[in-house]
Amino acid sequence: MFAVSPMSAHFPPSSHGSLRRYLLAAYASLVVYASLSPFTGWQEQGLAFAEVLAAPWGQTYNAFDALVNWLAYLPLGMLLALALRAHCSSGRSVLFAVLGGVLLSAGMEYLQMYLPNRTSSNVDLLANGLGSLMGAVLASGVVSRRWFLRLAQWRSGLLQQGAGVDFGVALAMLWMFVQINPSLPILGNVFITEAAHRIFVAMPEEPFNIWESAAVALNLLMIGFLLQSVLGERRHAVIALLLILCVVALAKFLAAAVLLKSWALLLWLNSEAMSGIVAGLLLMWGAGRLRGAGLLWGAAIAACAYFVLALWQFDNATASAAMRLYQWHYGHLRNYNNMSHLVSVIFPLLLGIYLGWARKRL
């Protein structure tokens, strides 16, 4: 059994426990999904894993893939080290975080040998290990900073105390991850599929989609109710909601500027999304007096309505339909689109689990 280090002993209990584990589990799940998607075509290809490890680097090396793998495992190493830091020393947390990242990477590379559309690579394994190491070292350095402890104490004072709070915060972060995708309308669920066109050629107008606007309003209601249930004061929830919307819009614009073609830069800012945001804010204002069971029922109704609408009206949304918007043509973007759509569909279910948990304290 590892001893708790003096530094971690001074953390508030909620600052180094559940939230880190939830974020770690969510991020590891996303890594597994991105590594093995689309989970079809499994077959033996007559390749031994030892051959992959011993292959010359020139056969498997790709600078862009190596960079992506390094960046993908950096947050994983950081989250692993932060989760372990509450139970062991700084050095051990780094060591075990790197070991965990390498083992997960090795497992993914091994399974990719059975996917015809994937390529197992020893360079990817090395890049993933280096990313885990860098993330773990950064986490170890951050934890020892005084400002990190003050931030943890501030977070504990800002949030409610009790069952499910850390899970709710992790859900809010997962929600923001989905919204950054520039091939989805802001707070929307359906991929943008406008065909590429020549400059100065007008696109034919499409009829206003009331269902897409309703989905945006329900999406905003879900995150609004979630924030009200985890933050200690109602005014903090209002400020947090407006701040999150601004951050999402800014991040979406920056992602669009980097990833999308110039003519598609602002397609995510459509009339359905804007109407849905206005409607959602008005509904949130009308539901401002809800407390306790009323707040939970409001969130549950919004989650159920969004889930039904996503499956019934938007079940034909595909990640490949949005690829024509991108100026980059790497497979990682399709994986990100697939993850975005999957998380947006299961988010109401995760919110329902949270509401059942939060019922004990609200």
Side-chain angles (χ1 to χ4, degrees):
M1 190 71 179
F2 297 120
V4 178
S5 65
M7 186 65 193
S8 63
H10 290 84
F11 283 140
S14 62
S15 70
H16 61 254
S18 301
L19 179 59
R20 297 179 188 181
R21 293 194 295 271
Y22 293 139
L23 293 177
L24 174 60
Y27 193 81
S29 299
L30 294 177
V31 168
V32 172
Y33 184 93
S35 301
L36 304 180
S37 176
F39 300 93
T40 58
W42 297 86
Q43 63 182 23
E44 175 67 46
Q45 301 188 71
L47 185 66
F49 192 52
E51 297 176 11
V52 173
L53 297 179
W57 285 9
Q59 293 182 5
T60 60
Y61 177 76
N62 181 294
F64 180 80
D65 284 341
L67 177 62
V68 169
N69 279 278
W70 181 79
L71 291 175
Y73 273 71
L74 191 149
L76 180 70
M78 182 176 292
L79 291 172
L80 274 168
L82 287 174
L84 291 166
R85 190 65 177 88
H87 305 286
C88 57
S89 66
S90 176
R92 289 183 175 181
S93 67
V94 172
L95 175 63
F96 293 143
V98 174
L99 181 61
V102 170
L103 288 176
L104 177 61
S105 175
M108 296 300 99
E109 296 300 323
Y110 176 79
L111 292 174
Q112 285 178 353
M113 292 193 308
Y114 297 90
L115 291 170
N117 61 340
R118 294 286 183 159
T119 302
S120 296
S121 169
N122 50 8
V123 177
D124 289 349
L125 181 59
L126 176 62
N128 293 339
L130 291 176
S132 299
L133 174 61
M134 179 62 72
V137 170
L138 288 175
S140 178
V142 165
V143 165
S144 62
R145 302 293 181 180
R146 186 176 299 275
W147 63 263
F148 184 81
L149 176 59
R150 291 177 178 175
L151 180 63
Q153 293 172 337
W154 173 79
R155 186 182 70 86
S156 297
L158 184 66
L159 301 177
Q160 295 185 21
Q161 302 298 319
V165 173
D166 285 338
F167 186 68
V169 174
L171 275 185
M173 294 182 179
L174 187 64
W175 183 89
M176 292 183 67
F177 164 79
V178 175
Q179 306 310 317
I180 294 174
N181 190 333
S183 62
L184 289 169
I186 187 166
L187 308 194
N189 180 271
V190 181
F191 286 106
I192 303 168
T193 59
E194 279 84 349
H197 61 285
R198 296 188 303 274
I199 192 170
F200 303 129
V201 176
M203 291 289 291
E205 288 192 12
E206 295 184 359
F208 184 85
N209 190 336
I210 186 64
W211 297 115
E212 184 179 339
S213 188
V216 171
L218 292 170
N219 204 1
L220 190 145
L221 279 176
M222 286 193 297
I223 189 63
F225 282 129
L226 175 60
L227 291 174
Q228 290 185 51
S229 67
V230 298
L231 293 173
E233 297 185 23
R234 182 61 58 93
R235 63 185 178 88
H236 291 159
V238 175
I239 295 173
L241 178 60
L242 295 176
L243 181 62
I244 284 177
L245 290 178
C246 292
V247 170
V248 165
L250 177 60
K252 212 173 183 75
F253 177 79
L254 293 177
V258 172
L259 299 175
L260 300 187
K261 296 175 180 177
S262 59
W263 58 266
L265 182 60
L266 294 176
L267 287 181
W268 54 271
L269 201 63
N270 58 22
S271 57
E272 287 88 350
M274 293 299 97
S275 300
I277 290 176
V278 172
L281 290 174
L282 290 175
L283 290 172
M284 283 301 305
W285 177 78
R289 296 184 179 275
L290 292 178
R291 296 290 190 280
L295 182 65
L296 295 179
W297 276 108
I301 292 172
C304 289
Y306 181 87
F307 183 72
V308 171
L309 188 59
L311 293 183
W312 169 58
Q313 187 68 21
F314 304 137
D315 58 351
N316 61 343
T318 59
S320 59
M323 289 304 295
R324 70 189 66 173
L325 303 178
Y326 290 99
Q327 61 178 340
W328 287 16
H329 302 286
Y330 298 102
H332 309 82
L333 294 175
R334 184 177 287 104
N335 291 335
Y336 178 50
N337 284 345
N338 283 326
M339 284 191 294
S340 298
H341 188 249
L342 176 64
V343 174
S344 69
V345 171
I346 67 173
F347 180 83
L349 303 179
L350 296 175
L351 182 59
I353 295 174
Y354 162 77
L355 294 175
W357 201 349
R359 182 170 52 88
K360 302 175 182 178
R361 61 178 170 81
L362 292 177

